[in-house]
Amino acid sequence: MIPASFEYHRPKDMAGVLSILEEHGDDARVMAGGHSLIPMMKLRMADVPHLIDLQDVGGLAGITVGDTITIGAMVTQSDIILHDALADAAPILREASLQIADPQVRYMGTVGGNVANGDPGNDMPGLMQCLDATFTVVGPNGERKIPAREFYEAAYMTGREDDEVMTAVSFAKPAGGHAYEKQKRKIGDYATAAAAVQIVKDGGTCASASIAMTNLSDTPVYSAAAGDALVGTSVDGDAIKAAVSAMLNDIDPVEDNRGPVAFKRHVAGVILARAIERAWARA
Amino acid sequence: MKDEAVTREDRVASLKGMGCSRKRVEDARFTQGKGNYVDDIKLDGMLFGDFVRSPYAHAKITNIDTSAAMEVPGVLAVLTAADLAPLGLHWMPTLAGDKQMVLADGKVLFQGQEVAFVVAEDRYAAADGIEAVEVEYEELPVIVDPFEALQSDVVLRPDTVGEDGSPADGAHGPRKHHNHIFTWECGDKDPTEQVISNAEVVAEESMYYHRTHPCPLETCGCVASMDKVNGKLTLWGTFQAPHAIRTVVSLISGIEEHNIRVISPDIGGGFGNKVGAYPGYVCSVVASIVTGKPVKWIEDRMDNLMTTAFARDYWMKGRISATKDGKITGLHCHVTADHGGFDACADPTKFPAGFMNICTGSYDIPTAFLEVDGVYTNKAPGGVSYRCSFRVTEAVYFIERMIEVLAIELDMDASELRKINFIKKEQFPYKAALGWEYDSGDYHTAWDKAMKAVDYDGLRAEQKQRIEDFKAGKTRKLLGIGLTHFTEIVGAGPVKNCDILGLGMFDSCEIRIHPTGSAIARLGTISQGQGHATTFAQILASEIGLPADSITIEEGDTDTAPYGLGTYGSRSTPVAGAATAMAGRKIRAKAQMIAAYLLEVHDDDVEFDVDRFVVKGAPEKFKTMKEIAFAAYNQAIPGVEPGLEAVSYYDPPNMTYPFGAYVCVMEIDVDTGVTDIRQFYALDDCGTRINPMIIEGQIHGGLTEALAVALGQEIAYDDMGNVKTGTLMDFFLPTAWEVPNYETDHTVTPSPHHPIGAKGVGESPHVGGVPCFSNAVHDAFRAFGLRQTNMPHDHWRIWRTANELGLHD
Ligand SMILES: Cc1cc2nc3c(=O)[nH]c(=O)nc-3n(C[C@H](O)[C@H](O)[C@H](O)COP(=O)(O)OP(=O)(O)OC[C@H]3O[C@@H](n4cnc5c(N)ncnc54)[C@H](O)[C@@H]3O)c2cc1C
């Protein structure tokens, strides 16, 4: 549990980060909170000869709340939980963050690290897909925006180039009711299954619904079909069943210590149904 | 006279003796991060050693190339079996009479096995050196199933085959097969068969008590320092039995025992994991001898979980017979015990399956038979008593499940069935069918108190309603009521039948009273968090009348402490605690002579009163123990040697038998398999209670480890022998979040043979807790036809149970 030796860099600004990335190419990697990256290095599953710590780079740790919400890449899960205006505007973020890891990890783990990591177990990628967020990255050719729903290609493979750094996530202030429902084995565990749901109610019917699932495939799963199954309904038992079965068509869980595929699919359905019910009750 | 206002009660209270919830004296340093653990030891020029470990569970080693590793900056040496063989140290004896490879000798038998030992200037260089050692493996067929092992032609251990090709005898007798280690039988075979075959009712069940691991917070490690000038070896380490380790080191290294000093500093939890001897100890000693420098070896978490002593892994098959109205008549138990690649159990020599023969439990079962077959597989060695005295958790789990299964068979309430069969108070001392003599107990009183405390009838009524609601589709949650009445067997043990490697399992205490009335007492045991420095001082305070706060307790340094067999199996209070009381009584006897001399009366004319000797019938005439202590050092008393010291080596006449009644009330979500413990009630009877606060702490800790084992903690292997649960992400270690509220309660039935009547408590909650949590899960599904489902009861396995019972249809 000791990493191979590495060079530690701590640049003061983004230009410094980008030039080190350019110089060392594949051999360099940025570190935010380090709570995904360092364990991988200790297990010698990640070999990072040049580690670039982002802690001293300014301008990455802000939260702005308006019609559009922007969260800097270096904002921690703890910052999100403690930010009241954010919790008022997009309460699903606090609800989800409180279900990530434990307080110690949340003091270190960042939004940027969580969404950039590309680990299917991370909760924020699915959350960001539910919110239809956009990721901002900066690289040698300047800034670029990538929709969260198009960002994830496979486990640890994302739309970000190796020489690009994520600076922020942004999304329109969500409307309606929300729920983040997660089943895990214990505190500090990744999800057996998790569902992020935002629903807008118009009178007694569902005007729009957005649904994303976590740790049920090698990427987060935004299930447009599941959301569509709710739209125009009164979100009754049949509609929820339809949404669940649409979602089940989109996920592809694998067996691991949390359980076999049949169990995961069953739990995914139960978790989503509960999330929909809770979001609808709040809508 | 002096101190008129001070009452006798005040004097008793100021001693903080037995019965007082004295605050733990250890906690001041532990809570401030000022403990001194092995990894805190830093010596001049100290080197660091670490292992190259096998990625395969079964493979031949065709070549080890260390040349690249020797080029890594900071790497000084790489030891392999070839280096240890000339010293005869490439294998070492295990505590179970088997032997174990120190470094892979031509083959590996489990994933993570020690293949080479890299010695470097620091642990970083050692880690880089490990990466550079090139080992060529030739994979062999892997066996992780003990039943398959007993059928297979694959020979795991070449040393199990005799010259003629048939299985050679093992340490405990003939082998049935080359992968078979021993058979251990206990009780009456034919009479048991007869009783069961003629019985009115027989319940039969098989259960697997899965492999798990004690996972102490601090992993195992040591620092070996060979002083070549004076020829002395000092070995600091995470040893639960420092004296035994000294003897073992001497026997296998040839260094005379007086030239070896073993020190157990603060230990961060042991739970059995730190009883055995590990390759890391041997390699560190050799490396220190070779390099002439101190060498440290510290496991990381994965090393600890994957290679040091596991617990359980028992496949148990039972038959229990009874009359139609529920009186048990006979019990048969067969165990297939998976020991992994080497038999490294830490049981007393005559007990290769530990005290599994306590499996008749709290019940008056007239006829019983137990048979255990030990088997080799391609898994890590071990088989320690994880917070349990030598397989008692397995035994208690077995009988407490069999009782539940019999209740189902009889269509009877499980509490009622227990009450019908409990050994009655007047039957003690009770001779059990499998040989033990239970010292004392009052099971009915404890049980009735527990049933009343939880309103058992009310709970059953609620459960009945819940089942109706469930069937009517009004709820998706079931209610489980888990019951357990356990009888533990601790305090190993009488030298006549308990030894480890020929060392009798007595224990010891040596006391020195200082002139000013304070004292130091040294014991042969070693605390790993149990609070010995607190409780043993309390025993002494009550015995010798000096305040506990004035008594230092010291353990773990073999140069200063008297010989003892260490701390595991809840033996410290039953054995060393008894030695402490006996040594205290020797002090008191001498103090009596001194007091009589000072008071100018005959020895028999004074009597002990809390903290002083008083002249009989004249309580105003007395000498306090403080005054007596001083007199011991400044008076020339005819016929009495100066000084006030005593030592006692205590060989217990019997084991002690703590017991308890536990109830767990659990909510189960059948759709997700998620469990929620609504109530946990634990009544413990550990005899005389020395420090109620420490008892409560021990119970909370043991129950939490029980919760872990019952609900998720396991060392799981895949078919290739890969460990699937080698990190804390997958190995379940509960945090405050997962832990329910515990209600503790007690009755007091002192041990009649122990000097202060104490029985030991550290393991009871674990022994009783595991079946209680498990029974709650089973009970929730009883109405739907469940008889047995194996632990750990994690979400997916509970979900599977619900699924198989058709509850998702
Ligand atoms: C015990 C434990 C439990 C956990 N449980 C959960 C959980 O339940 N749910 C969950 O979602 N997470 C969980 N985590 C992960 C935790 O939330 C991490 O903090 C998070 O995944 C990564 O954030 P980080 O800032 O630590 O990233 P780092 O570890 O620093 O980085 C992770 C990866 O992202 C890259 N990266 C980081 N920042 C940027 C950036 N600005 N631009 C480009 N690339 C970047 C790094 O190069 C690296 O590849 C857990 C972690 C631990 C240790």
Side-chain angles (χ1 to χ4, degrees):
Chain A
M1 296 286 265
I2 289 179
S5 62
F6 57 87
E7 206 66 47
Y8 178 78
H9 304 267
R10 199 173 172 118
K12 298 271 179 237
D13 53 27
M14 189 54 79
V17 175
L18 294 176
S19 79
I20 300 167
L21 278 174
E22 191 175 5
E23 187 185 340
H24 297 288
D26 268 3
D27 279 353
R29 234 154 120 177
V30 297
M31 177 178 78
H35 271 50
S36 291
L37 185 54
I38 291 177
M40 301 262 281
M41 289 168 66
K42 285 183 162 186
L43 291 167
R44 299 200 175 205
M45 281 156 57
D47 183 22
V48 184
H50 293 273
L51 187 69
I52 311 169
D53 194 335
L54 296 178
Q55 296 293 343
D56 284 353
V57 176
L60 297 176
I63 298 176
T64 55
V65 179
D67 286 342
T68 297
I69 294 171
T70 302
I71 302 174
M74 290 297 284
V75 168
T76 65
Q77 287 132 24
S78 170
D79 295 335
I80 289 179
I81 292 165
L82 297 174
H83 200 288
D84 289 334
L86 182 63
D88 284 345
I92 194 170
L93 283 173
R94 180 183 277 177
E95 185 164 306
S97 297
L98 281 168
Q99 297 179 65
I100 291 177
D102 54 49
Q104 285 168 307
V105 172
R106 297 197 293 255
Y107 285 127
M108 296 302 293
T110 65
V111 172
N114 202 299
V115 300
N117 197 24
D119 184 327
N122 284 130
D123 286 287
M124 290 199 160
L127 179 65
M128 292 302 157
Q129 291 192 337
C130 171
L131 293 169
D132 198 12
T134 301
F135 299 155
T136 307
V137 298
V138 59
N141 305 320
E143 206 173 84
R144 197 158 76 90
K145 291 195 189 294
I146 313 168
R149 291 177 186 173
E150 290 164 21
F151 188 71
Y152 298 97
E153 294 159 4
Y156 303 103
M157 306 268 287
T158 67
R160 182 182 62 87
E161 298 299 327
D162 283 348
D163 56 0
E164 289 177 318
V165 178
M166 186 167 299
T167 54
V169 301
S170 52
F171 48 89
K173 179 173 178 287
H178 71 279
Y180 195 82
E181 184 87 19
K182 176 177 175 179
Q183 180 167 336
K184 55 187 171 184
R185 296 170 297 178
K186 57 178 177 179
I187 279 296
D189 193 19
Y190 292 92
T192 300
V197 176
Q198 284 283 157
I199 302 184
V200 179
K201 193 190 229 169
D202 186 9
T205 53
C206 167
S208 72
S210 177
I211 290 171
M213 307 297 292
T214 290
N215 220 10
L216 293 161
S217 209
D218 67 343
T219 60
V221 174
Y222 169 67
S223 179
D228 290 349
L230 298 177
V231 176
T233 74
S234 60
V235 189
D236 55 4
D238 286 344
I240 293 175
K241 264 198 197 123
V244 165
S245 76
M247 175 277 290
L248 290 173
N249 282 331
D250 289 341
I251 63 171
D252 184 19
V254 292
E255 174 166 350
D256 60 18
N257 287 333
R258 293 179 184 84
V261 171
F263 163 70
K264 288 190 173 183
R265 293 180 64 82
H266 188 111
V267 168
V270 173
I271 291 295
L272 177 58
R274 288 179 187 173
I276 292 171
E277 279 163 16
R278 199 162 76 235
W280 183 245
R282 287 163 166 172
Chain B
M1 291 293 305
K2 39 188 166 175
D3 294 349
E4 293 277 25
V6 179
T7 64
R8 191 169 186 279
E9 284 73 49
D10 292 338
R11 290 192 283 123
V12 171
S14 73
L15 292 181
K16 299 191 191 163
M18 286 200 289
C20 163
S21 282
R22 181 183 185 221
K23 289 225 169 103
R24 291 175 22 124
V25 298
E26 298 89 340
D27 290 348
R29 70 177 189 280
F30 290 155
T31 55
Q32 294 180 70
K34 295 279 162 59
N36 183 41
Y37 298 91
V38 174
D39 206 16
D40 293 321
I41 293 167
K42 294 186 175 77
L43 304 177
D44 267 358
M46 190 173 75
L47 305 177
F48 198 90
D50 204 354
F51 286 108
V52 175
R53 295 180 179 278
S54 170
Y56 300 108
H58 195 199
K60 224 166 106 179
I61 293 185
T62 52
N63 190 42
I64 302 179
D65 183 354
T66 61
S67 53
M70 288 301 292
E71 299 298 313
V72 170
V75 172
L76 300 175
V78 182
L79 301 178
T80 64
D83 301 306
L84 299 183
L87 307 167
L89 292 176
H90 55 321
W91 287 75
M92 63 177 182
T94 71
L95 297 181
D98 194 4
K99 55 180 191 161
Q100 176 177 351
M101 289 180 219
V102 173
L103 290 172
D105 183 19
K107 72 182 294 194
V108 288
L109 287 164
F110 63 94
Q111 187 182 47
Q113 188 177 330
E114 301 79 1
V115 174
F117 191 66
V118 175
V119 185
E121 278 163 7
D122 57 48
R123 62 183 88 198
Y124 300 92
D128 290 340
I130 287 169
E131 292 278 294
V133 174
E134 283 169 29
V135 186
E136 284 169 31
Y137 297 94
E138 212 176 279
E139 286 183 72
L140 294 167
V142 173
I143 304 177
V144 291
D145 173 356
F147 300 99
E148 187 194 330
L150 289 177
Q151 303 296 325
S152 175
D153 292 339
V154 176
V155 175
L156 297 178
R157 289 274 301 269
D159 56 317
T160 58
V161 182
E163 303 218 324
D164 62 349
S166 63
D169 280 4
H172 303 282
R175 295 179 204 275
K176 293 177 180 163
H177 179 270
H178 51 257
N179 295 327
H180 176 259
I181 308 172
F182 64 82
T183 298
W184 187 55
E185 293 183 355
C186 196
D188 302 319
K189 187 171 189 168
D190 294 338
T192 304
E193 281 307 328
Q194 221 158 23
V195 165
I196 292 176
S197 55
N198 296 330
E200 291 173 4
V201 182
V202 179
E204 201 172 330
E205 198 49 78
S206 295
M207 60 196 83
Y208 176 47
Y209 198 147
H210 61 289
R211 179 177 276 234
T212 183
H213 192 283
C215 193
L217 214 51
E218 177 204 31
T219 59
C220 299
C222 71
V223 178
S225 180
M226 183 74 201
D227 184 329
K228 288 198 171 168
V229 177
N230 64 16
K232 290 212 184 251
L233 170 70
T234 308
L235 184 61
W236 291 264
T238 48
F239 309 129
Q240 289 183 238
H243 299 273
I245 288 284
R246 185 185 69 192
T247 303
V248 171
V249 170
S250 175
L251 290 174
I252 66 178
S253 70
I255 302 171
E256 276 197 89
E257 212 167 344
H258 74 107
N259 276 331
I260 303 171
R261 180 180 185 188
V262 173
I263 301 175
S264 295
D266 282 331
I267 296 184
F271 313 114
N273 184 239
K274 294 168 179 171
V275 175
Y278 294 121
Y281 305 158
V282 179
C283 289
S284 302
V285 170
V286 172
S288 180
I289 293 171
V290 170
T291 61
K293 295 194 170 159
V295 176
K296 180 186 275 186
W297 165 72
I298 302 284
E299 290 177 327
D300 66 25
R301 181 61 60 194
M302 289 174 75
D303 296 340
N304 182 253
L305 286 174
M306 289 172 63
T307 70
T308 45
F310 73 92
R312 329 289 191 236
D313 218 344
Y314 260 33
W315 297 84
M316 304 182 284
K317 214 171 151 191
R319 279 176 295 149
I320 188 164
S321 63
T323 61
K324 283 196 301 287
D325 44 9
K327 182 77 195 75
I328 300 171
T329 55
L331 178 72
H332 184 280
C333 176
H334 181 273
V335 180
T336 303
D338 186 341
H339 287 240
F342 308 98
D343 183 6
C345 285
D347 297 313
T349 307
K350 295 194 188 82
F351 299 88
F355 302 157
M356 184 65 201
N357 55 343
I358 193 75
C359 67
T360 52
S362 310
Y363 311 101
D364 184 12
I365 302 180
T367 324
F369 183 65
L370 164 72
E371 196 180 4
V372 183
D373 283 301
V375 184
Y376 290 126
T377 59
N378 290 121
K379 300 185 189 172
V384 290
S385 45
Y386 170 10
R387 213 167 180 139
C388 130
S389 320
F390 313 119
R391 304 290 184 183
V392 179
T393 41
E394 288 91 327
V396 171
Y397 186 76
F398 171 78
I399 185 65
E400 288 302 299
R401 285 297 314 137
M402 289 310 292
I403 291 283
E404 296 280 320
V405 172
L406 180 61
I408 293 170
E409 197 73 44
L410 290 161
D411 196 19
M412 193 184 254
D413 176 81
S415 166
E416 193 53 37
L417 179 59
R418 283 181 173 83
K419 286 205 286 196
I420 293 172
N421 289 288
F422 281 143
I423 301 161
K424 294 186 193 70
K425 187 179 172 185
E426 56 275 14
Q427 286 177 279
F428 291 93
Y430 172 81
K431 184 97 173 135
L434 293 176
W436 297 111
E437 187 180 291
Y438 295 18
D439 59 350
S440 63
D442 184 354
Y443 301 164
H444 284 99
T445 300
W447 192 254
D448 291 345
K449 192 173 179 187
M451 292 302 105
K452 208 166 151 219
V454 300
D455 182 19
Y456 181 68
D457 294 340
L459 284 172
R460 285 291 177 206
E462 182 188 349
Q463 185 185 45
K464 202 165 158 231
Q465 182 62 47
R466 181 72 69 90
I467 292 165
E468 277 171 30
D469 289 351
F470 184 88
K471 288 181 173 162
K474 290 190 214 160
T475 178
R476 295 297 291 163
K477 284 194 176 169
L478 296 177
L479 185 69
I481 303 163
L483 304 177
T484 284
H485 190 287
F486 65 89
T487 295
E488 252 263 65
I489 171 170
V490 307
V495 172
K496 63 177 188 289
N497 56 12
C498 292
D499 72 271
I500 288 188
L501 291 179
L503 303 167
M505 297 181 73
F506 60 84
D507 226 289
S508 59
C509 174
E510 182 197 282
I511 306 169
R512 293 183 193 175
I513 311 290
H514 306 314
T516 51
S518 67
I520 183 164
R522 296 187 170 99
L523 287 78
T525 43
I526 175 70
S527 187
Q528 303 126 36
Q530 294 92 336
H532 289 179
T534 308
T535 42
F536 288 127
Q538 291 181 254
I539 296 176
L540 270 185
S542 292
E543 290 289 343
I544 64 176
L546 293 174
D549 289 345
S550 301
I551 302 171
T552 294
I553 300 290
E554 203 181 88
E555 304 173 298
D557 182 342
T558 59
D559 264 11
T560 58
Y563 205 98
L565 264 278
T567 295
Y568 42 87
S570 245
R571 63 185 301 280
S572 297
T573 296
V575 192
T580 304
M582 298 308 271
R585 286 171 197 182
K586 289 183 187 175
I587 295 280
R588 212 161 78 189
K590 185 166 177 184
Q592 181 165 3
M593 292 194 272
I594 298 171
Y597 171 81
L598 296 174
L599 292 163
E600 299 179 18
V601 294
H602 188 271
D603 288 358
D604 294 339
D605 292 334
V606 293
E607 63 187 356
F608 187 68
D609 179 44
V610 185
D611 57 351
R612 61 193 57 180
F613 276 95
V614 299
V615 175
K616 284 182 187 163
E620 72 286 358
K621 287 194 188 156
F622 63 85
K623 287 289 168 194
T624 64
M625 282 301 294
K626 222 173 136 92
E627 291 168 322
I628 294 166
F630 199 69
Y633 289 89
N634 80 344
Q635 298 273 329
I637 305 172
V640 179
E641 286 180 4
L644 195 50
E645 301 189 2
V647 55
S648 171
Y649 282 78
Y650 188 80
D651 177 10
N654 189 7
M655 314 287 287
T656 61
Y657 298 79
F659 61 94
Y662 290 179
V663 183
C664 172
V665 184
M666 188 185 279
E667 300 268 355
I668 294 181
D669 181 334
V670 298
D671 291 319
T672 59
V674 173
T675 50
D676 180 32
I677 292 143
R678 190 173 90 185
Q679 184 180 12
F680 198 101
Y681 170 89
L683 179 150
D684 273 273
D685 191 321
C686 57
T688 303
R689 292 158 60 83
I690 301 166
N691 182 323
M693 184 196 68
I694 285 192
I695 291 174
E696 198 179 337
Q698 288 289 314
I699 290 169
H700 281 224
L703 287 175
T704 299
E705 287 183 323
L707 167 115
V709 170
L711 299 186
Q713 187 178 83
E714 64 173 325
I715 295 291
Y717 288 83
D718 68 12
D719 292 345
M720 299 301 294
N722 298 307
V723 182
K724 297 199 292 178
T725 51
T727 75
L728 296 185
M729 187 52 85
D730 288 308
F731 184 85
F732 175 42
L733 211 56
T735 66
W737 186 266
E738 286 84 19
V739 175
N741 184 48
Y742 301 123
E743 293 162 56
T744 57
D745 202 348
H746 63 273
T747 55
V748 178
T749 312
S751 167
H753 64 78
H754 188 280
I756 58 169
K759 288 186 168 185
V761 76
E763 306 177 335
S764 295
H766 195 66
V767 164
V770 177
C772 192
F773 287 112
S774 182
N775 279 346
V777 172
H778 284 91
D779 182 72
F781 291 105
R782 176 173 167 175
F784 301 91
L786 179 68
R787 268 172 73 111
Q788 175 64 29
T789 181
N790 290 329
M791 296 185 291
H793 306 299
D794 52 5
H795 298 167
W796 86 261
R797 287 181 175 95
I798 289 181
W799 174 87
R800 182 182 59 186
T801 296
N803 198 265
E804 286 169 359
L805 295 173
L807 304 185
H808 296 146
D809 302 340

